Amino acid sequence: MNSLRPRVFSGVQPTGNLHLGNYLGAVSRFVPLQESFECIFCVVDMHAITVWQDPHELAHNTREVTAAFIAAGIDAKRHIVFNQSQVSAHAELAWVFNCVARLGWLNRMTQFKEKAGKDRENASVGLYAYPSLMAADILAYRATHVPVGEDQKQHLELARDIAQKFNNDFAETIAEAGYNDGFFPLTEPLIAGPATRVMSLRDGTKKMSKSDPSDLSRINLTDDADTIAKKIRKAKTDPEPLPSEAKGLESRPEASNLVGIYAALTDKPIADVLTEFGGAQFSGFKQALIDVAVEKLSPITGEMKRLMDDQSHIDTILAEGAQRARQIAAPIFAEVRKIVGFVG
Ligand code: TRP
């Protein structure tokens, strides 16, 4: 493969109500990558509309994800933060990829099956083509690495399949254009440590989700300290004290979730947390968890609020990020046009 310089791309959908699961599972994991990679972080508004979004809420949520990126410590000056729809290369390259990807490949995507549910006839065409837009997001910048959670692995594999098929199908014009080892990279997943899967505070077997009808099930990035404390105090537990070894968390989903959250917030291995709290009652552990959650999250929620009060500042960050993203994507897409045989 071409020796492209390492570049990270990742996207977060602005579909509302950012919660602790989004923070620990995605946004907070982006922060350390800034040290070793050139990073592009994208608010994927075009992916969001593959299911219905209220237009006012979409705009609000796009700004809120941007605020969360910045508040969590992403440096929009050294790296790039923007919203997908401002850079037309995403849509243009997605069309080319729609013609590279095969129906059979998309038919295997489990996320489509889950999201479309039983009423598949009524799902949007965009929801079906979602993975090819995601491949375009990544490859519009010829990104070499993508931080992904478990649920997006299949989509990243599809992006590799698309890159590979593009490289094969157009091998002749790719060589004519002077690339002797394919045009698109086979992007690697970046899996940082054990994935933190944050579960509902009301049911440790269900993922923490913005669509859970009970607000007590999740910690939102807009919750204040009192709300965080209340939700953790009310979190479901079981009657046993905490175990002193990870084995003891098996078949205790709620205990396992709270310990996992504590470990992720303090950046400690689960084993260390259990050495400290093994034998403790939940009441004491919950107070410790409240303390670390508030300590870690309050500065972020505070900064998000401050940023959200100045909409024009956020919009400027996105516009400047989009401008810089276009500068990277434009010459790449110009090459794609040549390779495919588009005139002009
Ligand atoms: N599909 C991702 C999600 O729902 C979001 C996303 C869109 C993305 N484009 C991407 C993630 C490119 C990584 C790279 O979480």
Side-chain angles (χ1 to χ4, degrees):
M1 196 43 49
N2 297 296
S3 45
L4 292 170
R5 80 165 136 152
R7 178 180 282 151
V8 158
F9 183 97
S10 197
V12 172
Q13 293 198 54
T15 44
N17 238 356
L18 278 174
H19 53 69
L20 185 65
N22 306 119
Y23 175 71
L24 292 176
V27 182
S28 72
R29 291 171 164 246
F30 297 166
V31 176
L33 299 176
Q34 300 179 104
E35 294 310 315
S36 23
F37 293 94
E38 172 197 338
C39 299
I40 304 176
F41 297 118
C42 186
V43 188
V44 289
D45 46 7
M46 289 159 63
H47 275 109
I49 63 164
T50 56
V51 296
W52 170 252
Q53 302 297 324
D54 173 90
H56 294 113
E57 283 176 22
L58 179 65
H60 173 87
N61 292 337
T62 297
R63 295 185 177 110
E64 195 165 85
V65 173
T66 309
F69 280 167
I70 309 295
I74 286 166
D75 183 343
K77 289 250 181 306
R78 280 178 48 219
H79 300 275
I80 294 180
V81 172
F82 74 107
N83 57 315
Q84 190 183 27
S85 60
Q86 290 207 62
V87 178
S88 59
H90 293 250
E92 292 180 272
L93 187 58
W95 182 257
V96 175
F97 287 172
N98 280 340
C99 303
V100 173
R102 306 288 92 183
L103 283 179
W105 299 0
L106 292 177
N107 284 338
R108 286 196 286 274
M109 295 295 111
T110 53
Q111 182 176 290
F112 175 75
K113 291 183 205 165
E114 274 164 24
K115 284 202 182 173
K118 287 200 171 43
D119 194 9
R120 213 182 267 201
E121 296 284 304
N122 198 32
S124 75
V125 175
L127 188 65
Y128 188 71
Y130 180 115
S132 117
L133 176 60
M134 180 161 155
D137 295 340
I138 299 164
L139 296 172
Y141 307 93
R142 298 212 282 172
T144 56
H145 295 82
V146 170
V148 276
E150 212 39 57
D151 63 328
Q152 294 299 314
K153 262 189 173 161
Q154 195 185 32
H155 288 159
L156 186 61
E157 275 158 28
L158 190 90
R160 294 163 61 98
D161 291 342
I162 288 177
Q164 181 124 53
K165 187 166 193 300
F166 182 95
N167 289 344
N168 287 337
D169 290 354
F170 297 102
E172 192 182 325
T173 45
I174 288 172
E176 281 165 20
Y179 300 90
N180 41 31
D181 204 9
F183 183 70
F184 285 121
L186 304 184
T187 307
E188 299 283 343
L190 273 180
I191 301 162
T196 314
R197 246 183 123 218
V198 181
M199 311 306 276
S200 158
L201 298 180
R202 308 298 294 168
D203 177 352
T205 64
K206 285 198 324 209
K207 233 175 124 170
M208 185 175 283
S209 158
K210 63 174 189 298
S211 48
D212 192 311
S214 167
D215 197 51
L216 287 174
S217 71
R218 65 187 156 256
I219 293 174
N220 303 305
L221 288 188
T222 46
D223 286 344
D224 61 21
D226 287 346
T227 311
I228 294 175
K230 181 181 88 185
K231 287 178 175 176
I232 293 176
R233 251 181 236 117
K234 295 201 168 178
K236 189 176 168 197
T237 53
D238 57 40
E240 304 294 320
L242 283 163
S244 11
E245 282 173 36
K247 241 189 355 258
L249 290 172
E250 281 167 20
S251 54
R252 294 180 66 185
E254 283 79 22
S256 171
N257 187 35
L258 295 181
V259 170
I261 292 173
Y262 187 97
L265 284 170
T266 54
D267 217 1
K268 283 186 187 157
I270 303 252
D272 291 11
V273 178
L274 293 178
T275 308
E276 193 178 341
F277 291 99
Q281 299 297 325
F282 273 105
S283 52
F285 177 66
K286 278 183 167 180
Q287 188 53 52
L289 181 58
I290 289 168
D291 292 344
V292 298
V294 168
E295 183 188 303
K296 188 87 190 206
L297 298 177
S298 315
I300 297 171
T301 53
E303 180 65 3
M304 273 178 73
K305 276 211 187 71
R306 202 183 62 75
L307 288 161
M308 286 301 279
D309 283 343
D310 186 357
Q311 191 175 302
S312 69
H313 178 235
I314 294 192
D315 292 3
T316 304
I317 293 174
L318 292 172
E320 285 175 5
Q323 176 63 29
R324 285 161 51 218
R326 269 182 227 116
Q327 279 165 14
I328 301 175
I332 295 174
F333 195 68
E335 291 294 81
V336 170
R337 294 183 55 91
K338 260 199 273 173
I339 289 166
V340 171
F342 289 163
V343 173

